[in-house]
């Protein structure tokens, strides 16, 4: 065992839990989102608040470490994690989690193993306090989407581009003919911001990345046909149904 961790079981603990989330409220429109959930190394971690005798601490580089000696018997450390990233090792009577490969970083490695090994470049590592670093540039250029269970807690692991809420629907003409090429306009009723898409060859449309709990108006139009207006709240993903247009 290293000074920062104790031996971990070969099964039952996931240092990155790949969660598949089902999305949609209609079984014809269900899709999934795959979200990697490691320990987010919170700046003010709940696990540290729950610990006694300094069994959990935050290093200068932001890594949150569970002391493998002081934490023995402290099951409340595992129970305190809002995202379930701390596991309980029954054999050692010890809470355990990702260490951000702090042992390797101390030896001069450039990044944790997961970042170094990812073949798709889906993970990045760097200095969040350096505004000119690659990770800060990526954060500026992408959508920051914190895990909702964290309730706004500042973290040293930043999730980008995790899907929020979507609306979708289908548009038809009489006699079940699909409305290909119809214009669907989405308007945020609070901000007035609009977006538009065109129905595809199946008459389907979709808007992703909606603001959670915002109210929207959806206008469906096609030359020669009456415009249809719908309203919905983005409290969750919604399939807004099948709309059949009528002659203007």
């Amino acid at each position: 065992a290293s000074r920062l961790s104790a031996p971990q079981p070969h099964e039952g603990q996931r240092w990155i839990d790949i969660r598949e989330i089902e999305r949609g409220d209609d079984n014809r429109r269900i899709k999934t989102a795959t979200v990697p959930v490691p320990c987010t190394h919170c700046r003010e971690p709940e696990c540290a608040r729950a610990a006694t005798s300094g069994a959990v601490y935050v290093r200068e580089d932001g890594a949150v470490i569970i002391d493998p000696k002081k934490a023995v018997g402290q099951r409340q450390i595992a129970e305190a994690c809002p995202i379930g990233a701390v596991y309980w090792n029954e054999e050692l009577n010890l809470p355990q989690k990702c260490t951000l490969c702090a042992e390797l970083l101390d030896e001069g490695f450039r990044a944790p193993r997961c970042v170094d090994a990812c073949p798709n470049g889906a993970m990045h590592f760097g200095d969040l306090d350096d505004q000119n670093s690659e990770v800060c540039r990526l954060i500026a250029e992408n959508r920051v989407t914190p895990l909702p269970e964290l309730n706004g807690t500042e973290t040293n692991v930043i999730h980008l581009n995790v899907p929020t809420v979507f609306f979708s629907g289908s548009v038809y003409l009489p006699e079940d003919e699909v409305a290909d090429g119809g214009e669907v306009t989405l308007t945020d009723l609070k901000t007035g911001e609009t977006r538009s898409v065109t129905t595809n060859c199946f008459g389907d449309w979709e808007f992703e990345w909606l603001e959670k709990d915002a109210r929207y108006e959806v206008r469906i139009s096609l030359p020669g046909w009456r415009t249809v207006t719908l309203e919905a709240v983005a409290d969750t993903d919604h399939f807004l149904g099948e709309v059949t247009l009528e002659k203007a």
Side-chain angles (χ1 to χ4, degrees):
S2 75
R3 60 188 175 87
L4 296 181
S5 62
Q8 299 146 355
H10 292 294
E11 297 180 351
Q13 297 187 15
R14 303 180 186 92
W15 304 135
I16 300 182
D17 187 11
I18 307 300
R19 300 179 183 176
E20 189 173 84
I21 302 170
E22 284 193 355
R23 308 181 62 209
D25 63 354
D26 183 284
N27 59 14
R28 291 171 299 169
R29 289 298 183 273
I30 281 183
K31 58 181 181 177
T32 60
T34 302
V35 181
V37 182
C39 168
T40 53
H41 294 271
C42 303
R43 300 204 171 188
E44 296 183 3
E46 291 294 330
C47 57
R49 289 194 183 98
T52 61
S53 304
V56 180
Y57 60 97
V58 182
R59 295 178 11 138
E60 281 191 18
D61 60 7
V64 178
I65 302 297
I66 298 175
D67 188 297
K69 293 182 178 179
K70 293 180 179 179
V72 171
Q74 295 197 44
R75 186 185 287 269
Q76 76 275 11
I77 293 173
E79 294 171 347
C81 180
I83 60 171
V86 182
Y87 295 88
W88 182 251
N89 186 323
E90 290 285 354
E91 181 181 353
L92 298 182
N93 196 31
L94 182 68
Q96 295 181 305
K97 68 172 191 65
C98 158
T99 65
L100 205 65
C101 289
E103 304 95 332
L104 299 182
L105 298 180
D106 289 344
E107 294 175 6
F109 281 68
R110 63 178 183 173
R113 285 290 194 200
C114 57
V115 177
D116 195 48
C118 180
N120 297 314
M123 306 178 73
H124 300 268
F125 183 75
D127 188 351
L128 290 175
D129 294 325
D130 178 3
Q131 295 303 308
N132 295 316
S133 67
E134 181 188 7
V135 289
C136 285
R137 178 182 59 78
L138 287 168
I139 289 170
E141 295 175 353
N142 290 273
R143 299 173 186 267
V144 176
T145 45
L147 300 177
E149 302 95 324
L150 292 171
N151 294 317
T153 299
E154 283 193 80
T155 63
N156 287 307
V157 174
I158 310 296
H159 277 81
L160 303 178
N161 303 323
V162 177
T164 53
V165 178
F166 75 83
F167 285 167
S168 65
S170 298
V171 185
Y172 291 88
L173 303 179
E175 300 182 2
D176 291 331
E177 181 182 353
V178 297
D180 185 7
E183 183 177 28
V184 185
T185 302
L186 177 84
T187 302
D188 185 320
L189 293 178
K190 182 178 180 180
T191 67
E193 179 184 356
T194 64
R195 283 192 273 162
S196 295
V197 295
T198 301
T199 57
N200 63 20
C201 60
F202 301 103
D204 296 333
W205 59 268
E206 181 179 293
F207 291 100
E208 183 65 272
W209 306 109
L210 303 186
E211 190 70 30
K212 179 76 168 145
D213 294 326
R215 178 175 289 278
Y216 291 92
E217 177 187 84
V218 177
R219 291 174 61 85
I220 303 170
S221 60
L222 188 67
W225 301 86
R226 290 183 181 176
T227 297
V228 173
T229 301
L230 309 170
E231 282 193 19
V233 176
D235 54 343
T236 187
D237 301 318
H238 285 299
F239 174 63
L240 297 183
E242 298 174 350
V243 171
T244 299
L245 302 180
E246 298 178 357
K247 275 287 187 182

